[in-house]
Amino acid sequence: MLNQIKGLHHVTSMASDARRNNEFFTRKLGLRRVKKTVNFDAPDVYHLYYADEFGTPGSVMTYFPFPDIGKGRHGVGEVGTTVFSVPEGTLGYWEKRFADEGVSGVARETSFGEKRLTFTGPDGDSFALVEDKADSRAPWIKGGVPGDEAIRGFHSVALRLKDGGATEELLKFMGYEEVDKSGNVRRLAIENGNGADVVDIESLPGAGFANLGAGSVHHVAFAVEDRARQLEVRKALVDTGYGVTPVIDRDYFWAIYFRTPGGVLFEVSTNEPGFDRDEDTAHLGETLKLPTQHQHLRPYLEQHLQKLED
């Protein structure tokens, strides 16, 4: 069993409109946009990062807003719900805020003994807030949400799979342990993590497969401290039979990718070098940052990319 992984690093999803996506996460959820860059493989598409003040691993929600992309179809073989952590006793605040902001799909529920508020994003993305009194992570406090109510980071992701058994074994190999079960959902968690420590696996043998599009999660990334630990994880996965990509420089972290038995794309990302490598912490996410190979496109991109509110 591996011990290098320390919880979630980031979750990356698809969107259909950059301006609407930016407004939802910065204005309605009160997160900080910590980076405004472009997709490495499609530089005419933004890659937007939302997080806490520093872009701390375990708090980073990222998006590829492909203009006018078709809406995704939810099903098995995907991350079904992305769950954020909020302080105990704050769901009432968020319920009112969502009503005032016109957020859809809002409902209260209890899962694994935790109070939750489910809601949907602008493209039908599935989200939830969970009250967690033990979460001591510091929030971003300049996004219009008071610090006592603000999002702390991720609580968990919920994988929706036709058969969760093989993916559960993979997560156990990665250092997770089963800590609870409720119906057809198994909960796994990692000890001594970064606060974003939980993965739920929902098995739905009769459900149809998901189709990637706007509102779909593209991949979920797990955090390791540095490149040395990442290489250890990569070797262990390859030795176990997984097809893992070479290490890829993503400017703000180093990444490897592999497909799980259940069909979900996993990434393992380093905590280094971080989002302040090319911007001062006080000004994260304010200017368009481009990968080296796309610098020559700056005049075109600055003219053609959709303008975003700061």
Side-chain angles (χ1 to χ4, degrees):
M1 185 174 74
L2 301 176
N3 61 8
Q4 296 90 343
I5 290 171
K6 299 302 179 184
L8 301 178
H9 186 284
H10 65 269
V11 176
T12 294
S13 293
M14 314 279 281
S16 61
D17 184 271
R19 185 177 294 135
R20 185 169 65 236
N21 181 262
N22 180 77
E23 190 270 342
F24 182 81
F25 283 93
T26 61
R27 307 294 185 192
K28 297 184 180 182
L29 294 190
L31 297 178
R32 185 183 193 188
R33 191 181 71 218
V34 294
K35 197 61 59 181
K36 180 170 63 172
T37 183
V38 296
N39 187 310
F40 271 71
D41 301 317
D44 57 341
V45 174
Y46 276 121
H47 193 177
L48 303 175
Y49 293 76
Y50 312 102
D52 64 6
E53 180 176 2
F54 305 104
T56 307
S59 75
V60 185
M61 186 80 214
T62 98
Y63 269 86
F64 300 137
F66 284 87
D68 303 317
I69 189 176
K71 191 172 182 178
R73 183 181 69 243
H74 294 304
V76 294
E78 68 169 353
V79 176
T81 305
T82 303
V83 185
F84 297 96
S85 172
V86 294
E88 186 178 29
T90 62
L91 291 188
Y93 167 86
W94 283 101
E95 199 166 28
K96 182 180 185 305
R97 182 179 181 85
F98 286 164
D100 293 343
E101 294 285 353
V103 175
S104 61
V106 180
R108 289 222 190 197
E109 62 179 40
T110 300
S111 179
F112 291 101
E114 298 167 331
K115 296 178 181 178
R116 296 162 56 105
L117 190 68
T118 61
F119 62 101
T120 56
D123 288 298
D125 329 51
S126 179
F127 295 116
L129 302 177
V130 168
E131 291 187 353
D132 185 353
K133 65 180 179 181
D135 193 339
S136 61
R137 291 176 290 175
W140 172 238
I141 59 173
K142 297 180 181 179
V145 178
D148 288 343
E149 284 87 18
I151 289 171
R152 268 43 186 171
F154 292 125
H155 170 275
S156 58
V157 291
L159 310 183
R160 189 183 293 128
L161 307 176
K162 189 168 284 290
D163 180 356
T167 299
E168 181 178 349
E169 290 306 310
L170 166 63
L171 285 165
K172 289 178 178 178
F173 178 71
M174 292 167 61
Y176 285 78
E177 296 181 354
E178 184 175 334
V179 294
D180 208 346
K181 180 181 178 181
S182 177
N184 64 333
V185 181
R186 294 180 182 272
R187 169 156 289 188
L188 293 92
I190 202 157
E191 283 192 87
N192 303 314
N194 59 14
D197 303 332
V198 175
V199 177
D200 290 336
I201 298 178
E202 182 180 14
S203 294
L204 296 167
F209 286 98
N211 185 46
L212 189 67
S216 302
V217 172
H218 185 272
H219 63 267
V220 57
F222 297 84
V224 293
E225 187 63 33
D226 53 35
R227 294 181 66 189
R229 289 171 175 82
Q230 183 185 60
L231 289 173
E232 293 169 356
V233 172
R234 185 181 186 279
K235 182 180 186 303
L237 289 167
V238 170
D239 289 348
T240 307
Y242 284 94
V244 186
T245 67
V247 177
I248 301 172
D249 181 1
R250 294 304 193 195
D251 283 351
Y252 311 106
F253 47 86
W254 297 81
I256 57 174
Y257 303 85
F258 63 102
R259 188 72 62 176
T260 69
V264 178
L265 183 61
F266 276 8
E267 175 181 338
V268 178
S269 300
T270 60
N271 291 349
E272 59 181 14
F275 293 98
D276 60 354
R277 68 174 296 272
D278 59 1
E279 283 181 297
D280 184 86
T281 299
H283 299 286
L284 291 178
E286 294 181 4
T287 60
L288 178 65
K289 297 298 180 181
L290 298 177
T292 301
Q293 64 268 38
H294 297 319
Q295 287 289 352
H296 67 287
L297 297 174
R298 180 173 291 278
Y300 171 82
L301 294 174
E302 288 183 340
Q303 182 177 356
H304 287 86
L305 285 171
Q306 192 176 28
K307 304 304 179 188
L308 304 179
E309 292 185 16
D310 292 325

